[in-house]
Amino acid sequence: MTGNEIPTFSPEELERRYEQERIKRLTTGVRQYRSLRDLDKDFDADPFVEPGFTRAPVVEETDVVIVGTGWAGMTTAAYLTKQGVSSYRMIDKAGDFGGTWYWNRYPGCMCDVESYVYLPLLEEVGYMPKHKYAHAHEIFEYAQMLGRKFDMYPHALFQTDCTGMEWNEDTKRWLVTTTRGDELSARFVVICGGVLHKAKLPAIPGIEDFQGHSFHTSRWDYRYTGGGPEEPMDKLRDKVVGIIGTGATAVQAVPKLAQDAEHVYVFQRTPSSVSPRNQRDTDPAWFAEMTSKPGWHEERMANFVEMTTGANPPMDLVQDGWTEMFAVDVKKDPEDEQEAAELKLLDFELMEKVRQRITDIVEDQETAEKLKPWYGVSCKRPCFHDEYLPAFNRDNVTLVDTDGRGVDRITDKGIVVGDTEYELDFIVYATGFDAPTTFYTHRLGFDPIGEGGISMSDAWRHGPYTLHGVFTHGFPNLCMNGHIQAGQHINIAYASTKAAEHTAWVIKRALDENVIVQPEVAAEEDWYQVIASTLGPYATYFIGCTPGYLNGELQMPDASGGRPGAFMDSAVKFRDILAGWRAEGTMPGLVRTPID
Ligand code: NDP
C-alpha cells in the first residue's frame, strides 16, 4: 500500500487487539516513577553550567516576580514590557532562558511543531527560522534572542530555585524566597513553572546499582558522550548503550545514538506512532513573502490550531503531518451512534497507515510487528520522524520489546528483561516528565501560602479552582501560566502566550488602579462548568486508551483531584474568551480591592 490508499481491515479485530494491548499496560500507574532528586546519585545536576556558582542574595521590592523563564515566563515578561511594566524579576533554576529548550539538548532534539508557528513572538523578533522544524539549539538561541530583544537579562536570577512564596496581609505583597537567600517582595507573582518540566525516572529495582554511566535525556552530558547536538558523539564509538523509553524524545535520540555508538539496545514498553516529518530548509523568498503581511504570525498559528482541532478552516497553511492527522472532523458528535462509528473508523484508518509505514520501512518483519502501535490516534502523543524506523535496519540497533511490561530490573552491569541481562556501558533514561495530571505544587517544588496562611496544596486538595487557569481564590495577585484549567494545544507555546498576554494586561490595570485582584468563588465555578462542557468526548476517548501521561496512566480520579485539567476546546476559542473578557472592561468575576 502506498500514498493515500486506505488499507482494508476489520474494525472488530482491531478493537479486540487494542483492548488486549491496553490491558497489558494497566498494572503500573503513576507510582511507577521517581523524581530525579529521589536517588542518591544526583540525576538532577545541571551539566550545562560550571559548578560552584555563588552570588549575594537579592533583597528588594519589585512589582512582579515571574517564576520560570521558559516560554510562559518569557512571554509574560515581554507582554509586561509592552504594557509598560518594567519593575519585575525572573527566577529560574536553569543557567539561562529557554525552559524546555535550556534543558533538552540531547542528540537529535528538535521541535516537531513547525517553527513558523511554534516560536513565540516571531513577528516582533523578526527572525527567520532555518528549517520548517527547528533544531533544539536554534530554539535555545531564539530564547536568548527573545531575552535580549525585550531586555530581560538584567531582570533574571538564574541558577536559583524558588523555595516559597507567602502573601503578607499587612503589606499586601508576596514574599518570594529562593535557594540563594533572596527575599523578593512583590505586588504580583506569576508562576510559570512549566508543563512537562519535571523529569522522571522509572522506579525500576536496582536503578542505583548500575556501575556504568547513566542520565536522563534532559540532562545530556556531552562531556561523557563527546560531540554535541550537531556533532558526532565520538566517545560512544566503543560503548554499548541502552535507552529506556520510546516516546517523542527517544524517537529523536535513537537515530543519533545508532550513528555514533557501538551498539544500541532500545527498551520498549509501548511503541510510538511515527509518521513522516518531511523536514525542509526555509526558502528565504517564500518566508519574505509570507511575513510581508502584518499579523501573519497570529494568522498562521490560529490556522494551525483550527486545522488540528476540527474547525476545518478553508485553507491549511502549515500542511504537515499534524494537520493531516488531525484534519478529521473531530467535531462529529461522539454521542451520536453513527458519527461515533465514523470517527472510530477514521481513527482506525489513520493508525493502519502508521502501521503500514512500519511494515514498509523496517526490513525484519518480527521487529516491525513489535514496533506497531495498537491504540487510537490521540491516545499517545504522535511522533513525526524520518530516521527512527530506518535505524532498526542497522546491525548495531536491537529492539528489546518488553511486551507492555517494562524493564524488569537494573543490575550493576546492565538491564534485565525476562531471562536476559543486557550488559551496557551507558543507560539513557528517555522516560519523560511529570504530566499536568500530577499534583501542581508537587511539580512546582514549592507550595504558595495565600490568605489566612492557607497553602495551595491544602486549598486545592479536592482539585484546582481557577478563573481561566490564571487566578485562584484565596491567593490575591497570584497568576499562573501552567495549562491547568487553561487553554491547551499541541503547540504548547501558543496557549501559554495567550495566557501571558492576558496576565500582563490584568497586572497593568491592577497596578494603575492600585487594587488587589482575586477571583470570586462563583466565577471559578462558572469557569469549571465551561471546562467541563469541553471534556465529554475526550473523557470517553481517553478511558479507552492505553495508559500514558495524557490520561494520568489511567489512575482515575487522577492526582489533580479529578477535576478537569484543561480547556479542551480549541486554543483559539480560549484566546477569544480571554480577549472578550478583557474587552468587557469590568473584569467580570475578578474582585478588585483598593489598597488603602
Ligand atoms: P514520554 O512520557 O512520552 O515517554 C516516556 C517513555 O518511557 C515511554 O515510552 C514509556 O513507556 C517509557 N517507560 C517508562 N517507564 C518504563 C519502564 N519501566 N520500562 C520501559 N519503558 C518505560 O516522554 P518523552 O520525553 O518521550 O516525551 C514527553 C513529551 O515531551 C512528549 O509527549 C511531547 O509532548 C514533548 N516532546 C515534544 C517534542 C517535540 O518535537 N515537540 C519532542 C520530544 C518531546 P509507556 O509509553 O509504556 O509509558
Side-chain angles (χ1 to χ4, degrees), residues 25 32-33 101 106 109-113 196 200 202-204 216-217 244-250 252 267-270 272 277 380-381 402 405-407 430-433 492 547-549 553:
R25 279 279 290 106
Q32 59 174 308
Y33 292 108
W101 305 103
Y106 58 84
C109 184
M110 295 173 68
C111 182
D112 60 14
V113 172
L196 287 161
K200 63 190 189 198
I204 302 170
H216 188 272
T217 45
I244 301 181
T246 50
T249 295
Q252 303 198 110
F267 294 90
Q268 171 180 273
R269 186 165 67 184
T270 314
S272 274
R277 166 123 73 185
K380 281 191 177 281
R381 184 190 188 279
T402 64
R405 207 176 61 249
V407 161
T431 43
F433 304 85
I492 286 184
Y549 80 79
E553 303 288 341

Side-chain angles (χ1 to χ4, degrees), residues 329-399:
D329 187 1
V330 291
K331 287 292 170 277
K332 281 192 163 94
D333 180 5
E335 303 300 325
D336 177 308
E337 235 171 73
Q338 196 189 332
E339 293 202 354
E342 283 169 19
L343 269 177
K344 200 175 239 183
L345 214 55
L346 271 172
D347 202 310
F348 284 147
E349 279 171 16
L350 283 164
M351 289 306 282
E352 278 293 273
K353 270 196 193 176
V354 169
R355 289 186 282 266
Q356 185 61 43
R357 183 165 180 261
I358 300 169
T359 307
D360 295 345
I361 294 176
V362 179
E363 288 154 11
D364 173 44
Q365 285 307 302
E366 209 179 309
T367 304
E369 279 312 303
K370 290 177 181 160
L371 284 166
K372 289 185 180 170
W374 299 100
Y375 45 77
V377 153
S378 300
C379 285
K380 281 191 177 281
R381 184 190 188 279
C383 303
F384 301 90
H385 209 281
D386 300 330
E387 288 92 40
Y388 178 70
L389 294 171
F392 292 94
N393 293 334
R394 299 174 63 112
D395 292 339
N396 72 331
V397 177
T398 306
L399 177 70

Side-chain angles (χ1 to χ4, degrees), residues 78-293:
Y79 279 107
L80 281 174
T81 306
K82 282 165 171 247
Q83 290 281 347
V85 178
S86 57
S87 165
Y88 68 89
R89 269 287 171 198
M90 305 174 85
I91 306 174
D92 203 299
K93 74 184 251 188
D96 206 332
F97 287 116
T100 293
W101 305 103
Y102 174 85
W103 294 107
N104 286 281
R105 306 188 193 191
Y106 58 84
C109 184
M110 295 173 68
C111 182
D112 60 14
V113 172
E114 192 200 60
S115 56
Y116 324 123
V117 297
Y118 179 72
L119 295 174
L121 301 172
L122 197 52
E123 196 164 347
E124 279 89 335
V125 175
Y127 174 73
M128 183 184 87
K130 294 188 178 74
H131 311 282
K132 188 167 172 77
Y133 303 99
H135 292 250
H137 66 90
E138 185 187 6
I139 306 177
F140 177 41
E141 282 163 19
Y142 181 79
Q144 294 171 317
M145 216 182 289
L146 189 63
R148 287 192 297 272
K149 167 90 186 170
F150 287 91
D151 199 24
M152 294 176 204
Y153 276 95
H155 301 261
L157 298 173
F158 291 124
Q159 299 190 58
T160 302
D161 253 335
C162 177
T163 49
M165 50 179 63
E166 185 162 359
W167 176 250
N168 184 319
E169 310 272 358
D170 299 326
T171 59
K172 310 286 183 225
R173 283 178 164 270
W174 284 94
L175 181 66
V176 180
T177 50
T178 75
T179 45
R180 301 274 171 200
D182 307 314
E183 291 182 9
L184 306 172
S185 168
R187 294 276 303 273
F188 280 83
V189 285
V190 188
I191 304 176
C192 302
V195 183
L196 287 161
H197 72 288
K198 194 167 188 288
K200 63 190 189 198
L201 293 169
I204 302 170
I207 194 165
E208 282 168 299
D209 300 338
F210 183 58
Q211 295 300 308
H213 210 82
S214 57
F215 47 71
H216 188 272
T217 45
S218 65
R219 300 288 183 277
W220 199 274
D221 190 351
Y222 286 101
R223 288 169 301 197
Y224 172 75
T225 61
E230 298 301 307
E231 305 293 327
M233 294 173 285
D234 51 331
K235 292 187 188 169
L236 289 186
R237 281 197 191 114
D238 60 349
K239 299 284 188 290
V240 179
V241 182
I243 178 164
I244 301 181
T246 50
T249 295
V251 163
Q252 303 198 110
V254 164
K256 294 286 182 192
L257 287 170
Q259 269 171 29
D260 297 340
E262 182 185 315
H263 200 95
V264 183
Y265 290 97
V266 181
F267 294 90
Q268 171 180 273
R269 186 165 67 184
T270 314
S272 274
S273 121
V274 187
S275 297
R277 166 123 73 185
N278 293 326
Q279 170 70 308
R280 56 178 178 266
D281 294 348
T282 304
D283 170 359
W286 168 82
F287 190 77
E289 165 71 24
M290 171 179 71
T291 57
S292 62
K293 196 174 118 210

